Amino acid sequence: MAANPIVDQLARPMRDLRISVTDRCNFRCAYCMPKEFFGDDYAFMPKEKLLSWEEITRLAGLYATLGIRKIRLTGGEPLLRRGLPELIRMLSSIRGIEDIGCTTNGLLLGQQAQNLYDAGLRRINVSLDALDPDLFGRINGRGVTSDTILRNIDLASEIGLQVKINMVVQKDVNEQEILPMADYFKKRGITLCFIEFMDAGNTNGWSLKKVVTKKEIWERLGGADALVPVQPRYPGEVAKRFRYKDGQAEVGIISSVSEAFCSSCTRVRLSSDGKIYTCLFASKGFDLRALLRGGASDEELLAAIRKTWEQRGDRYSEERTEHTAKNFKKIGMSYIGG
């Protein structure tokens, strides 16, 4: 247990720290980094603004003393940041951290899976929104086919990484891929997690009409005739998990839109330039990098971290409307990390 556990205004503890290591990505998925806004001339963060591995590890260690138990490395695309295995080694040495994962689009996974595993990484989430090669190429905005990602998933699994697949489902875009994706990964014993299309950021053209809800996904998969609910593995688990009746494979559904789970959210996010955000849909963050590079002591950093969480009252998904989704200014997902 944390030596100094803290809770926010809604009595929610901190348990999960999401760390973005870069704002860059080699895909241009329309629901995250649409090409119209992130063109070839887009100015990403210069290297000197990014937190170093030592700075990230120092902050993660402080968060661990306040209750953080799980760390997820995100981006942008985290595998674009050089030396990621070294960060994993450093984070693995922090007392109290029980789990380190990484989310990736999988394009560079074939080249890096062995080094990531050797550094201590054991879990990886791969974003894949369609099996159909042409459709997937259109979704990622780079023409990369699903075959490439599937080969890298196989390689990562063979190395020993526990792989989970994330699929963002959008109406009239890829909802027809729900069953082919489910069948493909069920046969391989790999968990597939369906994610309702969310209004993260302000550039993805979100509309409630484009959301395929948890109920709709569950029914497409066969509902109660095919699936059995699985108990959460830990408090604050965001995906509702189900096991197939005819096997041990599982699927999950994240229902941030249709069945908000703000009341149990235990996540805090650290951007690649050192700002802390207490919600995926936040409009502003607290600048820890300024304190770090200004010579702040651990005690001063802890005081700032504690205050930021204790003042937290975020519950955007429970309050979301079409109006707020369009007019509430939110930090982009590629910046804050998914």
Side-chain angles (χ1 to χ4, degrees), residues 170-176 209 212:
Q170 300 180 66
K171 192 162 290 185
D172 299 325
V173 175
N174 65 338
E175 59 186 322
Q176 71 278 10
K209 296 176 182 178
V212 181

Side-chain angles (χ1 to χ4, degrees), residues 52-90:
S52 68
W53 293 163
E54 290 76 15
E55 289 172 325
I56 289 174
T57 302
R58 182 183 176 192
L59 290 177
L62 294 176
Y63 267 97
T65 68
L66 297 174
I68 289 296
R69 292 294 172 261
K70 298 181 62 177
I71 290 176
R72 173 79 62 81
L73 302 176
T74 71
E77 169 49 47
L79 302 193
L80 284 174
R81 180 95 183 253
R82 290 185 179 182
L84 191 63
E86 180 58 26
L87 175 62
I88 292 169
R89 289 189 186 92
M90 296 168 72

Side-chain angles (χ1 to χ4, degrees), residues 101-174:
C102 181
T103 297
T104 174
N105 60 34
L107 184 58
L108 301 177
L109 187 57
Q111 304 169 23
Q112 299 190 29
Q114 188 66 60
N115 288 337
L116 294 169
Y117 184 87
D118 292 344
L121 188 70
R122 293 296 179 267
R123 288 193 316 105
I124 198 155
N125 288 25
V126 179
S127 299
L128 181 68
D129 297 323
L131 285 181
D132 181 271
D134 294 332
L135 175 58
F136 181 65
R138 293 196 297 273
I139 289 174
N140 65 55
R142 294 301 198 205
V144 176
T145 66
S146 55
D147 298 343
T148 300
I149 309 304
L150 293 172
R151 284 195 300 271
N152 289 342
I153 289 170
D154 288 342
L155 175 61
S157 296
E158 290 168 6
I159 287 172
L161 285 166
Q162 178 186 340
V163 180
K164 186 175 80 173
I165 309 302
N166 291 337
M167 176 187 179
V168 175
V169 185
Q170 300 180 66
K171 192 162 290 185
D172 299 325
V173 175
N174 65 338

